Amino acid sequence: MDTKVVSIEEDQIDDKAKEYLKEAGEIIKKGGLVAFPTETVYGLGGDALNPESSKKIYAAKGRPSDNPLIVHIADMEHLGKIVKSIPAEAYKLAEKYWPGPLTMIMDKADCVPYETTGGLDTVAVRMPSNRIAAEFIRQSGGYIAAPSANISGRPSPTEAKYCIEDLDGKVQMIIDGGKVGIGLESTIIDLTVSPPMILRPGYITRENLQAIVEEVRVDKTILDSNSKEAPKAPGMKYRHYAPKGNLKIVEGKQEEVISYINEKITELEPGSEKTGVIATTESASFYKADVVKIAGNRDDEDEIARNLFSILREFDDENVSVIYSEAFNDTGVGQAIMNRLLKAAGHQVIDLGR
Ligand code: AMP
Ligand code: MG
C-alpha cells in the first residue's frame, strides 16, 4: 500500500488543508486508515463504528485485540449515539476539559462494535482539541477509533516522522501536523464505577479532576511496581514505550544519582556498550555517558512530558544499548511521566534512598 503524507499547519487550515482532510475522511468512510495529529500524541484512526476498520488498526499496530481503542469525537452532540447514557459527571468534566486530553469510559451503545472495545461493554471516548484532528473527525463521519500511531510496544509518536517510521505502507495517509503539544497520552477516567477511577494518569491530574467531581480514585496498579493485580485498563498491562536498549531508572539525591550512574558506566568494558542517560538541564553536564539527553528543566514537567517519547526513540536511532534515567517528581503531571518511564523501563528501578 502506498502511504500519502500530507502537511497541515494547525493554525492555518486553508483550502488546500481542507481538501486533504476531506480526502482523509473519504479514506475512513471506505474503511481505510489515517494517522493524524492530536494534542497528546499522534493517533492511528479508523471508523469506530466499522468492525473491519478496527481489525485493520490492530493488524497495523500489531496490537493484541483485547486492548480496546479510544473513540474520538469532535462534537458533544455525537456522544449520545455511542454511549448508553451520559452520566452527570461526564457533562461536568466535558464542560471543563473537552476538547482536551481527557478520555472518559462509559457504557457502550449497541452501535459500537466489540472489535472497537476489545470485547468490553464499555467504550472510552475523547474529544481532542487539536483543530486538525477535530476537522478530520468531522470529515470522517464523526467517530474515529484511534490508538497511538506506533507499532505496539514502541514509544508513542510525538511527530509525524515517527508515524512514518512505524506505519509507512500500512496506512493510506499520514497527516503531518508538526510536533504535538503535550506528548503523553490522555488521562483515562472510568465513569462506570463509583467513585470514578483514573485508569491511566495523564496531563489532567487527579487534583484537576477532583476539583470537578468530588472523589476520584486511582487504579493502584498504575505506579506500583510490585502489584500482582491486573490493571483495569487492559492496555496498561503490556510492556510499552520501551526503547531497544536496557533502561533503568535511578532514584535518589541528585549527586548520588550522578555518581552511581557514572560508576556503572565506568565499570562497563570500554567499547562493549553504547551508553545513554536521560538527564535534566541541571545535571546533564555531569554525566560521562556516550549520549546524554536533556528532558527539560527538573521543575518543568510539561517540557519533560513533551520530550520523553522522542528521547526514547532517539536512543534507538543511535543504537544506545545501556540507558539510565533520573527519576522525576511523581506529583501532578510528573505522575504520568513516571508511569510511562516505569513501563518503558519494565519497572527496573534502583533506589538509592532519599
Ligand atoms: P492507546 O489507544 O494506545 O492510547 O491506548 C488506549 C488505552 O485505553 C489502553 O490502555 C486501553 O486499555 C484503554 N481503554 C480503552 N477503552 C477502554 C475501556 N472500555 N475500558 C478500560 N480501558 C480502556
Ligand atoms: Mg498506545
Side-chain angles (χ1 to χ4, degrees), residues 41 61 63 67 147-150 154 156 185 200 240-241:
V41 300
K61 270 183 76 90
R63 177 171 171 129
N67 186 359
S148 48
N150 52 284
R154 295 209 72 198
S156 301
E185 305 85 346
R200 176 171 75 184
H240 239 112
Y241 319 119

Side-chain angles (χ1 to χ4, degrees), residues 264-336:
K264 286 289 158 192
I265 289 172
T266 324
E267 277 171 14
L268 293 168
E269 197 178 313
S272 64
E273 309 273 3
K274 190 164 178 189
T275 55
V277 172
I278 304 178
T280 55
T281 318
E282 293 86 341
S283 64
S285 63
F286 298 106
Y287 287 108
K288 294 183 181 138
D290 298 319
V291 182
V292 179
K293 302 275 182 196
I294 297 176
N297 292 332
R298 174 145 284 281
D299 291 327
D300 190 345
E301 283 160 3
D302 290 1
E303 193 190 357
I304 296 170
R306 229 176 355 254
N307 291 327
L308 180 64
F309 287 145
S310 55
I311 288 177
L312 293 174
R313 282 192 180 246
E314 284 161 19
F315 281 133
D316 285 354
D317 295 342
E318 293 168 51
N319 291 314
V320 176
S321 53
V322 172
I323 309 164
Y324 289 97
S325 178
E326 296 181 7
F328 301 100
N329 302 330
D330 65 1
T331 51
V333 181
Q335 198 170 75

Side-chain angles (χ1 to χ4, degrees), residues 93 189 195-198 206 209-211 213-218:
L93 289 169
I189 185 166
M197 186 182 276
I198 295 175
R206 181 188 194 181
L209 296 167
Q210 271 179 341
V213 293
E214 237 163 67
E215 193 191 348
V216 175
R217 296 210 182 143
V218 180

Side-chain angles (χ1 to χ4, degrees), residues 61 63 67-70 105 117 120 122-124 146-148 185 188 199-200 232-236 240:
K61 270 183 76 90
R63 177 171 171 129
N67 186 359
L69 309 174
I70 293 173
I105 294 177
T117 65
L120 298 175
T122 53
V123 60
S148 48
E185 305 85 346
I188 302 181
L199 306 189
R200 176 171 75 184
K232 303 222 165 27
M236 299 297 280
H240 239 112

Side-chain angles (χ1 to χ4, degrees), residues 237-248:
K237 69 174 179 274
Y238 295 106
R239 180 138 190 251
H240 239 112
Y241 319 119
K244 292 175 189 143
N246 185 5
L247 168 64
K248 291 184 178 143

Side-chain angles (χ1 to χ4, degrees), residues 116-190:
T116 299
T117 65
L120 298 175
D121 287 312
T122 53
V123 60
V125 191
R126 177 164 108 79
M127 189 191 291
S129 66
N130 181 294
R131 286 192 290 276
I132 301 168
E135 197 46 37
F136 162 60
I137 294 165
R138 290 191 187 107
Q139 291 293 336
S140 305
Y143 307 93
I144 289 288
S148 48
N150 52 284
I151 297 288
S152 218
R154 295 209 72 198
S156 301
T158 49
E159 293 182 54
K161 66 177 180 189
Y162 299 128
C163 301
I164 298 172
E165 213 171 275
D166 282 13
L167 298 174
D168 191 28
K170 295 180 177 171
V171 299
Q172 276 81 0
M173 189 188 266
I174 294 174
I175 303 173
D176 183 346
K179 203 170 168 177
V180 301
I182 293 179
L184 297 177
E185 305 85 346
S186 58
T187 305
I188 302 181
I189 185 166
D190 185 356

